Amino acid sequence: MHIETLGHGPDLILIHGWAMHAGIFAPLTRELAPHFRLHLVDLPGHGYSRDSDTHLRLDECALQLAEQLPSATWLGWSLGGQVCLEAARLRPDRVEALVLIASSPRFVVGEDWPQGVAPDLFRQFADGLRSDYHRTIERFLALEAIGSEHAQSELRELRAQVFARGEPALNVLCDGLGILDSADLRDVLPGLRAPSLWIAGRRDKLIPPAAMQWAAQHSPGGRYLELSAGHAPFIGHAARVAEAVLELQREQAA
Protein backbone atom coordinates (compact mmCIF):
# COMPACT_ATOMS: atom_id res chain seq x y z
CA MET A 1 0.00 0.00 0.00
CA HIS A 2 1.19 3.50 -0.81
CA ILE A 3 1.56 5.63 2.32
CA GLU A 4 2.56 9.30 2.37
CA THR A 5 3.96 10.64 5.64
CA LEU A 6 4.04 14.35 6.44
CA GLY A 7 3.90 16.74 9.38
CA HIS A 8 5.33 16.48 12.88
CA GLY A 9 3.87 15.35 16.17
CA PRO A 10 1.90 12.33 17.42
CA ASP A 11 1.22 9.70 14.76
CA LEU A 12 -2.16 9.76 13.02
CA ILE A 13 -3.17 7.29 10.30
CA LEU A 14 -5.85 8.39 7.80
CA ILE A 15 -7.78 5.83 5.73
CA HIS A 16 -10.16 6.88 2.95
CA GLY A 17 -13.50 5.48 1.85
CA TRP A 18 -14.71 3.43 -1.12
CA ALA A 19 -13.45 4.41 -4.60
CA MET A 20 -11.35 7.27 -3.21
CA HIS A 21 -7.75 7.77 -2.07
CA ALA A 22 -5.91 9.77 0.57
CA GLY A 23 -6.03 12.94 -1.54
CA ILE A 24 -9.68 13.36 -0.53
CA PHE A 25 -8.44 14.35 2.93
CA ALA A 26 -6.67 17.48 1.59
CA PRO A 27 -8.86 19.99 3.53
CA LEU A 28 -8.38 18.01 6.74
CA THR A 29 -4.69 17.38 6.07
CA ARG A 30 -4.02 21.11 5.95
CA GLU A 31 -5.62 21.50 9.38
CA LEU A 32 -3.90 18.51 10.99
CA ALA A 33 -0.36 18.56 9.56
CA PRO A 34 0.89 21.29 11.95
CA HIS A 35 -0.09 19.10 14.91
CA PHE A 36 0.47 15.46 13.86
CA ARG A 37 2.74 13.24 11.84
CA LEU A 38 0.19 12.07 9.29
CA HIS A 39 0.29 8.73 7.49
CA LEU A 40 -2.01 9.01 4.47
CA VAL A 41 -2.96 5.58 3.14
CA ASP A 42 -4.09 4.58 -0.34
CA LEU A 43 -5.85 1.24 0.08
CA PRO A 44 -5.05 -1.59 -2.38
CA GLY A 45 -6.33 -0.82 -5.88
CA HIS A 46 -6.96 2.84 -5.03
CA GLY A 47 -4.94 5.97 -5.80
CA TYR A 48 -1.20 5.37 -5.93
CA SER A 49 -1.84 1.76 -4.89
CA ARG A 50 -4.02 1.17 -7.95
CA ASP A 51 -1.52 -1.19 -9.61
CA SER A 52 -1.60 -3.57 -6.67
CA ASP A 53 -3.05 -6.97 -7.59
CA THR A 54 -4.05 -7.56 -3.96
CA HIS A 55 -7.71 -8.04 -3.13
CA LEU A 56 -9.24 -5.68 -0.61
CA ARG A 57 -9.70 -7.53 2.69
CA LEU A 58 -10.35 -5.85 6.04
CA ASP A 59 -8.13 -8.15 8.06
CA GLU A 60 -5.22 -8.10 5.61
CA CYS A 61 -5.26 -4.30 5.27
CA ALA A 62 -5.50 -3.78 9.02
CA LEU A 63 -2.67 -6.18 9.81
CA GLN A 64 -0.38 -4.83 7.09
CA LEU A 65 -0.85 -1.24 8.25
CA ALA A 66 -0.38 -2.19 11.90
CA GLU A 67 2.90 -3.91 11.04
CA GLN A 68 4.16 -1.18 8.73
CA LEU A 69 3.26 1.92 10.76
CA PRO A 70 3.95 3.05 14.32
CA SER A 71 1.42 2.86 17.12
CA ALA A 72 -1.00 5.71 16.38
CA THR A 73 -4.46 7.18 16.41
CA TRP A 74 -6.39 5.70 13.48
CA LEU A 75 -8.85 7.87 11.55
CA GLY A 76 -11.14 6.27 8.97
CA TRP A 77 -13.84 7.65 6.74
CA SER A 78 -16.72 5.38 5.70
CA LEU A 79 -15.15 2.07 4.56
CA GLY A 80 -11.88 3.28 6.07
CA GLY A 81 -13.55 3.31 9.47
CA GLN A 82 -14.15 -0.41 9.23
CA VAL A 83 -10.45 -0.96 8.50
CA CYS A 84 -9.72 1.00 11.69
CA LEU A 85 -12.13 -1.10 13.75
CA GLU A 86 -10.58 -4.28 12.37
CA ALA A 87 -7.13 -3.02 13.37
CA ALA A 88 -8.40 -2.31 16.87
CA ARG A 89 -9.74 -5.87 17.02
CA LEU A 90 -6.65 -7.60 15.65
CA ARG A 91 -3.84 -5.36 16.95
CA PRO A 92 -5.13 -3.32 19.89
CA ASP A 93 -1.53 -2.69 20.93
CA ARG A 94 -1.07 -0.54 17.78
CA VAL A 95 -4.25 1.53 18.08
CA GLU A 96 -4.05 4.36 20.61
CA ALA A 97 -7.37 5.98 19.70
CA LEU A 98 -10.01 5.80 16.97
CA VAL A 99 -11.72 8.52 14.95
CA LEU A 100 -14.58 7.19 12.82
CA ILE A 101 -16.03 9.68 10.33
CA ALA A 102 -19.37 8.81 8.68
CA SER A 103 -18.70 5.17 9.43
CA SER A 104 -20.59 2.44 11.22
CA PRO A 105 -19.86 -1.08 12.47
CA ARG A 106 -22.59 -2.29 10.09
CA PHE A 107 -23.69 -0.41 6.98
CA VAL A 108 -26.68 -2.53 5.98
CA VAL A 109 -30.08 -2.92 7.67
CA GLY A 110 -30.76 -6.23 9.41
CA GLU A 111 -33.47 -7.76 11.57
CA ASP A 112 -31.79 -6.42 14.71
CA TRP A 113 -30.19 -3.38 13.05
CA PRO A 114 -32.56 -0.76 11.59
CA GLN A 115 -29.85 1.90 11.33
CA GLY A 116 -28.44 1.23 7.89
CA VAL A 117 -29.18 1.30 4.16
CA ALA A 118 -31.28 -1.15 2.17
CA PRO A 119 -29.62 -4.58 1.78
CA ASP A 120 -29.52 -4.41 -2.01
CA LEU A 121 -27.92 -0.94 -2.34
CA PHE A 122 -24.30 -2.07 -2.57
CA ARG A 123 -25.23 -5.06 -4.73
CA GLN A 124 -26.87 -2.64 -7.19
CA PHE A 125 -23.69 -0.58 -7.27
CA ALA A 126 -21.65 -3.73 -7.90
CA ASP A 127 -23.88 -4.64 -10.86
CA GLY A 128 -23.64 -1.06 -12.12
CA LEU A 129 -19.85 -1.08 -12.01
CA ARG A 130 -19.75 -3.91 -14.50
CA SER A 131 -22.21 -2.28 -16.90
CA ASP A 132 -21.33 1.44 -16.56
CA TYR A 133 -18.27 2.03 -14.39
CA HIS A 134 -18.07 5.84 -14.48
CA ARG A 135 -21.79 6.48 -14.16
CA THR A 136 -21.99 4.19 -11.13
CA ILE A 137 -19.18 6.01 -9.35
CA GLU A 138 -20.81 9.33 -10.22
CA ARG A 139 -24.05 8.13 -8.61
CA PHE A 140 -22.17 7.14 -5.47
CA LEU A 141 -20.45 10.54 -5.26
CA ALA A 142 -23.78 12.32 -5.60
CA LEU A 143 -25.17 10.19 -2.77
CA GLU A 144 -22.22 11.15 -0.59
CA ALA A 145 -22.77 14.88 -1.15
CA ILE A 146 -26.55 14.92 -0.62
CA GLY A 147 -27.58 16.59 2.62
CA SER A 148 -24.53 18.77 3.05
CA GLU A 149 -24.86 22.52 3.53
CA HIS A 150 -22.17 22.73 0.86
CA ALA A 151 -23.45 19.95 -1.39
CA GLN A 152 -22.41 21.45 -4.72
CA SER A 153 -18.89 22.38 -3.62
CA GLU A 154 -18.43 19.01 -1.92
CA LEU A 155 -19.59 17.18 -5.03
CA ARG A 156 -17.11 19.20 -7.10
CA GLU A 157 -14.34 18.23 -4.68
CA LEU A 158 -15.31 14.56 -4.78
CA ARG A 159 -15.45 14.60 -8.58
CA ALA A 160 -12.10 16.37 -8.80
CA GLN A 161 -10.41 13.87 -6.50
CA VAL A 162 -11.92 10.53 -7.45
CA PHE A 163 -9.72 9.92 -10.53
CA ALA A 164 -6.93 12.36 -9.65
CA ARG A 165 -4.57 9.44 -9.00
CA GLY A 166 -5.92 7.21 -11.74
CA GLU A 167 -8.97 4.98 -11.82
CA PRO A 168 -9.41 2.51 -8.95
CA ALA A 169 -9.29 -1.15 -9.93
CA LEU A 170 -12.64 -2.75 -10.68
CA ASN A 171 -11.93 -5.88 -8.63
CA VAL A 172 -11.18 -3.93 -5.44
CA LEU A 173 -14.22 -1.72 -5.93
CA CYS A 174 -16.29 -4.89 -5.99
CA ASP A 175 -14.39 -6.16 -2.93
CA GLY A 176 -15.15 -2.91 -1.12
CA LEU A 177 -18.84 -3.08 -1.91
CA GLY A 178 -18.87 -6.64 -0.67
CA ILE A 179 -17.37 -5.48 2.63
CA LEU A 180 -19.90 -2.67 2.98
CA ASP A 181 -22.69 -5.13 2.23
CA SER A 182 -21.64 -7.89 4.62
CA ALA A 183 -19.31 -6.65 7.38
CA ASP A 184 -20.74 -6.53 10.90
CA LEU A 185 -18.28 -5.32 13.53
CA ARG A 186 -20.75 -4.52 16.30
CA ASP A 187 -19.27 -7.22 18.51
CA VAL A 188 -15.90 -5.45 18.38
CA LEU A 189 -17.15 -2.33 20.17
CA PRO A 190 -17.52 -3.54 23.79
CA GLY A 191 -13.94 -4.86 23.77
CA LEU A 192 -12.27 -1.71 22.43
CA ARG A 193 -9.29 -0.68 24.52
CA ALA A 194 -8.84 2.61 22.71
CA PRO A 195 -11.10 5.63 23.20
CA SER A 196 -13.17 6.43 20.12
CA LEU A 197 -14.69 9.52 18.55
CA TRP A 198 -17.62 9.03 16.16
CA ILE A 199 -18.25 12.01 13.84
CA ALA A 200 -21.56 11.91 11.97
CA GLY A 201 -23.16 14.03 9.28
CA ARG A 202 -26.66 15.02 10.35
CA ARG A 203 -28.06 14.51 6.83
CA ASP A 204 -25.88 11.62 5.74
CA LYS A 205 -27.79 9.38 3.28
CA LEU A 206 -25.46 6.39 3.73
CA ILE A 207 -24.79 6.25 7.46
CA PRO A 208 -27.67 7.32 9.74
CA PRO A 209 -26.37 9.43 12.64
CA ALA A 210 -28.30 7.13 14.98
CA ALA A 211 -25.99 4.27 13.96
CA MET A 212 -22.92 6.23 15.00
CA GLN A 213 -24.53 7.44 18.20
CA TRP A 214 -25.33 3.81 19.05
CA ALA A 215 -21.74 2.83 18.31
CA ALA A 216 -20.36 5.56 20.57
CA GLN A 217 -22.68 4.48 23.39
CA HIS A 218 -21.54 0.86 23.07
CA SER A 219 -17.81 1.67 22.95
CA PRO A 220 -15.86 2.13 26.22
CA GLY A 221 -14.60 5.70 26.13
CA GLY A 222 -16.75 6.44 23.10
CA ARG A 223 -17.96 9.94 22.30
CA TYR A 224 -20.20 11.30 19.58
CA LEU A 225 -20.10 14.48 17.48
CA GLU A 226 -22.78 15.42 14.95
CA LEU A 227 -22.17 18.07 12.30
CA SER A 228 -24.52 19.73 9.84
CA ALA A 229 -23.17 17.75 6.91
CA GLY A 230 -23.67 14.82 4.57
CA HIS A 231 -21.38 11.82 4.16
CA ALA A 232 -18.11 13.79 3.93
CA PRO A 233 -18.12 16.21 6.89
CA PHE A 234 -14.34 16.64 6.78
CA ILE A 235 -14.63 18.55 3.48
CA GLY A 236 -17.06 21.30 4.49
CA HIS A 237 -16.18 21.24 8.21
CA ALA A 238 -12.45 20.47 8.13
CA ALA A 239 -11.57 22.91 10.93
CA ARG A 240 -14.24 21.53 13.29
CA VAL A 241 -13.24 17.92 12.59
CA ALA A 242 -9.58 18.78 13.18
CA GLU A 243 -10.47 20.52 16.43
CA ALA A 244 -12.29 17.40 17.65
CA VAL A 245 -9.31 15.19 16.74
CA LEU A 246 -6.98 17.55 18.60
CA GLU A 247 -9.24 17.50 21.66
CA LEU A 248 -9.08 13.70 21.66
CA GLN A 249 -5.29 13.79 21.36
CA ARG A 250 -4.91 16.29 24.21
CA GLU A 251 -7.02 14.08 26.46
CA GLN A 252 -4.87 11.10 25.53
CA ALA A 253 -1.69 13.02 26.28
CA ALA A 254 -3.03 14.15 29.63
Side-chain angles (χ1 to χ4, degrees):
M1 278 181 282
H2 179 272
I3 301 171
E4 177 186 5
T5 299
L6 56 90
H8 302 278
D11 290 288
L12 176 62
I13 299 167
L14 290 86
I15 307 177
H16 61 84
W18 183 80
M20 279 293 173
H21 51 77
I24 193 61
F25 288 123
L28 187 58
T29 298
R30 288 190 290 269
E31 298 285 343
L32 292 174
H35 309 284
F36 294 91
R37 182 167 67 152
L38 305 178
H39 305 278
L40 297 151
V41 175
D42 281 355
L43 292 171
H46 296 74
Y48 294 139
S49 301
R50 66 185 180 278
D51 294 331
S52 168
D53 57 3
T54 304
H55 279 276
L56 185 60
R57 301 284 185 265
L58 282 183
D59 56 349
E60 293 174 2
C61 287
L63 286 172
Q64 182 179 342
L65 290 171
E67 292 294 331
Q68 189 171 346
L69 293 170
S71 178
T73 295
W74 290 55
L75 180 153
W77 169 49
S78 196
L79 173 63
Q82 295 202 323
V83 178
C84 294
L85 284 176
E86 185 73 351
R89 182 180 74 86
L90 295 172
R91 289 298 307 269
D93 57 312
R94 309 296 284 174
V95 180
E96 297 176 357
L98 289 161
V99 180
L100 296 308
I101 302 177
S103 190
S104 166
R106 175 170 175 159
F107 278 58
V108 172
V109 166
E111 289 185 4
D112 61 343
W113 183 247
Q115 297 156 153
V117 296
D120 60 349
L121 176 67
F122 297 119
R123 295 163 209 168
Q124 289 174 3
F125 277 116
D127 291 341
L129 282 174
R130 297 182 180 92
S131 60
D132 194 334
Y133 180 97
H134 289 92
R135 184 178 179 185
T136 299
I137 291 179
E138 176 69 21
R139 285 177 54 216
F140 195 83
L141 299 183
L143 191 60
E144 290 180 323
I146 289 173
S148 171
E149 290 178 324
H150 316 284
Q152 291 303 314
S153 61
E154 286 189 14
L155 183 55
R156 283 195 297 272
E157 179 72 11
L158 291 165
R159 285 171 172 164
Q161 288 286 355
V162 64
F163 298 135
R165 299 183 179 182
E167 294 189 0
L170 177 60
N171 69 300
V172 297
L173 291 181
C174 293
D175 290 342
L177 290 173
I179 292 169
L180 295 175
D181 181 46
S182 62
D184 187 348
L185 300 174
R186 286 177 292 172
D187 289 346
V188 175
L189 303 185
L192 287 177
R193 298 184 195 173
S196 56
L197 169 63
W198 301 78
I199 302 177
R202 188 170 302 137
R203 294 182 291 274
D204 191 337
K205 300 303 181 184
L206 286 168
I207 300 296
M212 299 193 67
Q213 192 167 26
W214 183 95
Q217 292 169 348
H218 287 78
S219 302
R223 65 203 70 187
Y224 174 73
L225 172 64
E226 186 172 304
L227 299 175
S228 180
H231 191 61
F234 58 88
I235 295 178
H237 301 270
R240 181 66 188 94
V241 171
E243 178 186 348
V245 176
L246 280 165
E247 288 173 1
L248 180 65
Q249 177 59 38
R250 292 188 193 105
E251 292 177 13
Q252 284 293 97

